[in-house]
Amino acid sequence: MSLVNYIDAAQQYFDDLVIKATDDELFAGGYLRGHFDLAVGYAQVEELNLEVDELNETVEKSLVKAYRNGELNEEDKALVVRLWDEVKALA
């Protein structure tokens, strides 16, 4: 899958959460989308030609840093991890 198609699929996944997700999943999805969008935006601004795996690695580094900073409680972290696995499976 191309990077553009992956980004489109991920954005659609996040949009679909609004319709079907619980409140907690919506929070986790919004949180994850922020990290994902930041990585995509950075790549666009820096004109990086990333592969899907490289984008995912950037997102994961951002998430790990956030976890280490204590930004999420364990329940929210578990939801973010589950949703992130679902997003990565889109590739």
Side-chain angles (χ1 to χ4, degrees):
M1 173 178 280
S2 75
L3 182 64
V4 171
N5 289 343
Y6 175 62
I7 292 169
D8 288 344
Q11 296 299 338
Q12 187 61 53
Y13 173 87
F14 292 128
D15 289 346
D16 290 346
L17 281 179
V18 174
I19 298 166
K20 64 180 183 176
T22 66
D23 288 346
D24 289 338
E25 289 171 331
L26 235 110
F27 168 78
Y31 184 84
L32 177 56
R33 185 178 205 156
H35 284 268
F36 187 86
D37 288 349
L38 185 64
V40 169
Y42 178 77
Q44 290 173 336
V45 167
E46 295 296 320
E47 298 180 358
L48 301 176
N49 190 14
L50 298 179
E51 298 293 327
V52 170
D53 291 342
E54 293 170 311
L55 176 64
N56 286 348
E57 184 178 317
T58 301
V59 173
E60 288 180 8
K61 285 179 182 178
S62 179
L63 289 170
V64 166
K65 184 178 178 182
Y67 300 154
R68 288 185 180 149
N69 288 336
E71 291 185 13
L72 297 174
N73 65 36
E74 288 303 313
E75 287 178 14
D76 290 336
K77 180 181 171 185
L79 276 174
V80 169
V81 168
R82 180 175 61 83
L83 296 179
W84 179 229
D85 286 342
E86 292 177 11
V87 170
K88 290 187 295 184
L90 298 171

